Amino acid sequence: MADKGGSMRASGDVEFLLPVDSEHKAKVVKVFSFAQPHMRSFHLSWISFFVCFLSTFAAPPLIPIIRDNLNMTKSDIGQAAVASVSGSILSRLMMGTVCDLVGPRYGSAFLIMVNAPAVFSMGVVDDAEGFMICRFFIGFSLATFVSCEYWVSSMFTSKIVGTVNGLAAGWGNLGGGVTQIMMPLIFALFRDSFHHPDFTAWRLAFFVPGSMHIILGLLVLCLGQDLPDGDHAQLQKQGGDVKQGFLRVLYFASTSYKTWIFFILYGYSFGVELTVDNIIAEYFYDRFNLNLNTAGLIAAASGLMNIYSRPAGGYLSDVAGRYLGMRGRLWFLWTVQSLGGLLCIILGKMSNLTGAIISMILFSIFVQAACGATFGIVPFVSRRSLGVIIGLTAAGGNVGSVLTQSLFFTSSSYHTEEGLVYMGIMIVCCTLLVTLIWFPQWGSMFFPPSKSASEEDYYVSEWTAQEQEQGLHLPSLKFATNSRSERGNHAGASSSDPEGDQPPAELGLSMWKSYSH
Amino acid sequence: MASSRMLYLILVATVATLGVASCVEGQVLFSTLPKSLVVTAALPDGKPIGEVKTGEDSILVKWTVNSTASVDAVKLKTKLCFASESQVLRGWRATNDDLKKDKTCLYDIATQDFSRTGGETTYKLSKSIPGAKYFVRAYAINAEGKQVATGQTSPNKVANTFTVIPISGRSTSIDIAVGVLSIFSVSALFGFFIFESIYLKRKKAV
């Protein structure tokens, strides 16, 4: 890998506060540090994602007040909830390209600050349609997931990128939990301390997430940096980045059946988490007769599990991969997600408060761990089209949420508790798709790998012969060699340093084999 | 281990206590309550209510006891209840015969001392009442806090209901603040973008 950083500064070697690799990506993550550029960017990216989750799910804990103010029916509430997660399907798909073009710093700042007016507009809605449109536009901001992952992947080396991604995504998802506590408290502040009527207090409460959007946007612009060596625009002008054939990348991503399996699967871990964020506060308020603050507190417990459950899911997937290879990762994902589905069924059946709280917390832990475990496998589906596959999987999460909310929580023909049972059954059924994932070089849950397959063949076959002649496939080759750890039986032994690896010339012969994957 | 066993026992005891606690209080079914009270609701000047605005208008609620009935009660509660058409497609306002779970009457008007001769109260509608169609219901409460008799202004939750017009919750100052902050957000972003590209161009030119 050429040293891109040295040419930028006249003085020569740059001092970073963290140990870095040859691309100047950090090798360790120090969570309590704000060192420029790595840790500061880590904190800015996860906090921006956190604030977007906060504002997207700011309405649900206040629904009991809003539904009276805007004279909404159950289907109005359900449609608005569906709208809140459907906006980001498109925005998540586009965000990867936006980050490629202008860098993650401008990408996330642009999204957050352009989204702020939508959050403020909640203060002026008059009816159910206006409310739904508002939630739709606020939901666009969930695309910061992509810019967050992109930014973090640019700043941290591949060995720890999984853990750092899990931390950033998990802590960002916390926003969905914190908002359930925060919004009722802010509402109570405006109503009790400032003596506003209910129907005004909830509108004023939305100024808080809106202002957080503006503050975070400015912080990202002022303090953020796209890459360890500088900003995207600066490096672009010096020819620092490699451009890839976008259509070819899209082709390889969409023709692989595994991409579409993950598109569906993520809908039943992350999608279900979004659905629960939307409906659970109202469920506890109505079914168990709690007041707004208590219902919000309980609902928050679900989102707050993200602080460790998603990173734990990613970490345990790594452990399963180390001992049992890719097969271990697949079994872990299936087990954890199916248990999540079972707990969802139990949650719907619980008619006493304690049982409902316990099953909700356990359900959240398993479903969020499944999210983390999903992204323990996704990076291996393709090396070349990684960005597009992450975007598609993320979009699939939202599609799953749209589907489950429309099917089970919008119509008045069944109660919310029945909807939860049906959703649990759907989770268990759709998770069976994990059994269909088969890697030629590692096998699947039930079938062994193909004897003639190798990691190098799999990843290099994504590049055409022409591109291989130009040597563009070399990063994939390096990745392939390192991914041999997915064969399992590597307890304790860490994979060799990717920087020191020089692929032997004989591997070039396998270039010409083509695989359908 | 002794400590984990202790923890397990505490958990089981807590769950058991909570389980028992939830079925301690007895059920009062609305259908079993005698309809011994006669309730009327009108505007303070005596005219029938058509529409009233929250925060501005008041209603006059009068109640008496049906002469043939004997009611053993201490207090009388009057409540504002949803008419049938305002309960449609809104499960959080559903009627349930068990008065502990019933959500028909969510807004209290007044709690007065019970008297055989009857009573009245003037109620200024609170700003937190949503827009819907309503009627008024009264419950006679005995010394243990249980309902013993009832009466309402509408015979079937359809006839003789009145409309309440709510506040919107919006105000001009909120509208202005939304406009100002939105414009600030978008212009700060584009201003920064423009400023930084000028700065970079100047840096390259140097």
Side-chain angles (χ1 to χ4, degrees):
Chain A
M1 280 285 171
D3 186 3
K4 300 176 200 135
S7 54
M8 266 210 63
R9 284 160 174 80
S11 54
D13 219 21
V14 182
E15 288 268 317
F16 289 108
L17 288 155
L18 296 173
V20 295
D21 63 12
S22 64
E23 286 179 284
H24 291 179
K25 293 186 180 179
K27 284 194 193 164
V28 296
V29 54
K30 284 190 187 157
V31 163
F32 293 110
S33 146
F34 282 88
Q36 188 71 293
H38 308 98
M39 289 320 301
R40 202 174 289 183
S41 301
F42 169 77
H43 288 298
L44 283 171
S45 62
W46 83 257
I47 296 178
S48 339
F49 185 38
F50 175 91
V51 166
C52 292
F53 240 96
L54 204 89
S55 54
T56 306
F57 295 103
L62 297 178
I63 287 277
I65 310 291
I66 302 176
R67 68 189 178 193
D68 280 339
N69 191 185
L70 305 180
N71 200 22
M72 296 168 73
T73 62
K74 181 170 179 181
S75 63
D76 290 333
I77 299 174
Q79 280 166 14
V82 167
S84 72
V85 291
S86 48
S88 64
I89 295 174
L90 198 62
S91 65
R92 281 177 167 211
L93 288 172
M94 286 171 26
M95 195 59 169
T97 318
V98 169
C99 284
D100 276 331
L101 291 173
V102 297
R105 173 175 153 253
Y106 270 128
S108 50
F110 179 81
L111 187 55
I112 299 178
M113 292 185 84
V114 166
N115 210 262
V119 183
F120 289 119
S121 305
M122 273 292 196
V124 300
V125 296
D126 257 330
D127 52 19
E129 286 76 35
F131 181 68
M132 181 174 76
I133 292 173
C134 227
R135 284 207 77 186
F136 177 71
F137 284 114
I138 298 178
F140 272 59
S141 64
L142 285 183
T144 36
F145 168 71
V146 178
S147 67
C148 176
E149 300 276 285
Y150 190 105
W151 205 350
V152 153
S153 304
S154 313
M155 285 284 177
F156 293 89
T157 192
S158 52
K159 266 198 224 169
I160 57 166
V161 80
T163 312
V164 186
N165 268 339
L167 281 172
W171 290 357
N173 282 18
L174 273 182
V178 168
T179 194
Q180 315 261 8
I181 306 178
M182 190 183 90
M183 292 305 283
L185 284 176
I186 298 174
F187 166 76
L189 179 76
F190 281 113
R191 184 191 56 189
D192 299 331
S193 306
F194 296 113
H195 304 296
H196 288 286
D198 284 6
F199 295 168
T200 306
W202 77 264
R203 295 167 188 276
L204 292 171
F206 269 86
F207 278 84
V208 174
S211 313
M212 286 170 88
H213 271 236
I214 299 183
I215 294 172
L216 247 306
L218 291 173
L219 281 175
V220 163
L221 287 173
C222 298
L223 298 178
Q225 196 176 299
D226 288 312
L227 295 158
D229 300 321
D231 281 327
H232 186 92
Q234 295 171 305
L235 291 182
Q236 277 243 282
K237 287 178 169 53
Q238 295 174 21
D241 275 338
V242 174
K243 290 244 187 309
Q244 295 197 352
F246 177 65
L247 284 171
R248 211 164 273 156
V249 164
L250 199 60
Y251 171 76
F252 281 114
S254 42
T255 49
S256 168
Y257 77 98
K258 290 194 271 292
T259 312
W260 299 105
I261 292 186
F262 277 109
F263 181 86
I264 298 174
L265 274 177
Y266 200 54
Y268 291 94
S269 52
F270 182 65
V272 157
E273 184 190 335
L274 291 182
T275 300
V276 163
D277 276 342
N278 259 332
I279 58 127
I280 203 75
E282 197 188 349
Y283 176 68
F284 277 101
Y285 181 90
D286 287 332
R287 189 163 189 209
F288 299 101
N289 284 325
L290 306 169
N291 71 15
L292 212 62
N293 283 27
T294 316
L297 208 63
I298 295 173
S302 155
L304 288 177
M305 293 298 115
N306 261 307
I307 207 171
Y308 68 86
S309 55
R310 185 168 176 147
Y315 175 72
L316 288 172
S317 174
D318 284 344
V319 168
R322 225 185 306 150
Y323 287 91
L324 298 167
M326 180 54 69
R327 180 177 275 187
R329 287 187 192 264
L330 290 168
W331 272 99
F332 178 70
L333 174 62
W334 178 82
T335 312
V336 161
Q337 198 163 315
S338 303
L339 281 172
L342 280 170
L343 284 160
C344 190
I345 298 174
I346 294 174
L347 171 62
K349 297 259 182 220
M350 281 286 170
S351 55
N352 65 330
L353 184 59
T354 326
I357 295 177
I358 294 177
S359 40
M360 181 198 73
I361 291 181
L362 288 173
F363 160 77
S364 302
I365 292 176
F366 278 96
V367 139
Q368 288 157 14
C371 293
T374 309
F375 279 94
I377 304 176
V378 162
F380 294 101
V381 173
S382 158
R383 185 64 191 85
R384 180 175 188 179
S385 315
L386 179 62
V388 172
I389 292 185
I390 289 181
L392 274 171
T393 308
N398 286 62
V399 168
S401 184
V402 167
L403 206 64
T404 47
Q405 281 180 106
S406 320
L407 285 173
F408 305 125
F409 301 107
T410 308
S411 100
S412 290
S413 52
Y414 34 73
H415 300 296
T416 310
E417 52 263 30
E418 290 170 318
L420 283 168
V421 171
Y422 294 140
M423 186 165 80
I425 295 173
M426 197 170 186
I427 296 173
V428 174
C429 295
C430 289
T431 309
L432 289 171
L433 284 171
V434 178
T435 51
L436 295 178
I437 299 176
W438 183 73
F439 285 90
Q441 68 275 34
W442 298 315
S444 73
M445 274 170 78
F446 299 112
F447 296 110
S450 153
K451 295 236 186 317
S452 54
S454 78
E455 290 81 355
E456 286 77 12
D457 295 335
Y458 182 80
Y459 291 112
V460 163
S461 64
E462 293 174 328
W463 300 86
T464 62
Q466 240 180 342
E467 289 166 333
Q468 291 180 24
E469 266 168 36
Q470 294 172 19
L472 292 173
H473 68 294
L474 288 172
S476 287
L477 206 51
K478 269 204 187 142
F479 178 79
T481 319
N482 287 321
S483 70
R484 278 182 194 234
S485 58
E486 293 309 306
R487 292 191 181 186
N489 308 314
H490 276 239
S494 57
S495 51
S496 51
D497 184 356
E499 310 293 71
D501 233 40
Q502 289 302 318
E506 298 81 65
L507 281 174
L509 290 174
S510 59
M511 271 187 220
W512 309 104
K513 287 198 195 154
S514 62
Y515 270 93
S516 56
H517 61 277
Chain B
M1 284 205 329
S3 56
S4 64
R5 266 211 92 163
M6 184 67 158
L7 223 61
Y8 174 70
L9 281 170
I10 292 175
L11 183 66
V12 168
T14 320
V15 172
T17 321
L18 288 166
V20 165
S22 62
C23 46
V24 154
E25 291 161 64
Q27 278 184 329
V28 179
L29 297 178
F30 183 72
S31 47
T32 62
L33 288 178
K35 310 283 183 283
S36 323
L37 302 171
V38 178
V39 190
T40 59
L43 292 174
D45 52 12
K47 295 205 188 102
I49 313 174
E51 285 180 353
V52 275
K53 290 201 182 134
T54 59
E56 286 175 20
D57 298 332
S58 309
I59 57 172
L60 178 63
V61 175
K62 287 189 194 168
W63 56 273
T64 51
V65 184
N66 197 329
S67 47
T68 54
S70 69
V71 180
D72 166 35
V74 172
K75 293 265 178 224
L76 187 119
K77 256 194 192 159
T78 38
K79 290 183 172 214
L80 205 58
C81 309
F82 290 108
S84 286
E85 67 181 270
S86 293
Q87 292 178 304
V88 167
L89 295 176
R90 292 172 176 85
W92 56 91
R93 295 178 181 171
T95 300
N96 190 315
D97 206 27
D98 179 356
L99 284 180
K100 278 259 172 293
K101 298 182 185 166
D102 182 44
K103 306 274 183 90
T104 323
C105 303
L106 292 177
Y107 306 104
D108 287 338
I109 294 177
T111 304
Q112 301 170 288
D113 288 326
F114 181 77
S115 123
R116 276 215 64 99
T117 51
E120 64 177 43
T121 177
T122 307
Y123 171 63
K124 185 172 178 195
L125 291 148
S126 154
K127 281 188 185 176
S128 56
I129 293 180
K133 294 203 105 169
Y134 294 89
F135 62 95
V136 178
R137 182 183 284 174
Y139 289 111
I141 317 273
N142 69 6
E144 280 115 49
K146 278 196 191 175
Q147 298 88 342
V148 289
T150 185
Q152 58 194 41
T153 59
S154 166
N156 52 5
K157 299 197 296 183
V158 177
N160 201 23
T161 56
F162 56 92
T163 309
V164 166
I165 299 178
I167 57 165
S168 73
R170 292 178 59 181
S171 71
T172 336
S173 40
I174 292 184
D175 295 348
I176 295 174
V178 166
V180 164
L181 283 169
S182 306
I183 294 174
F184 170 69
S185 178
V186 178
S187 35
L189 173 73
F190 286 110
F192 205 99
F193 196 69
I194 295 170
F195 176 76
E196 210 178 51
S197 46
I198 295 176
Y199 174 73
L200 279 177
K201 275 203 198 113
R202 232 179 255 165
K203 223 175 95 164
K204 291 212 86 165
V206 163

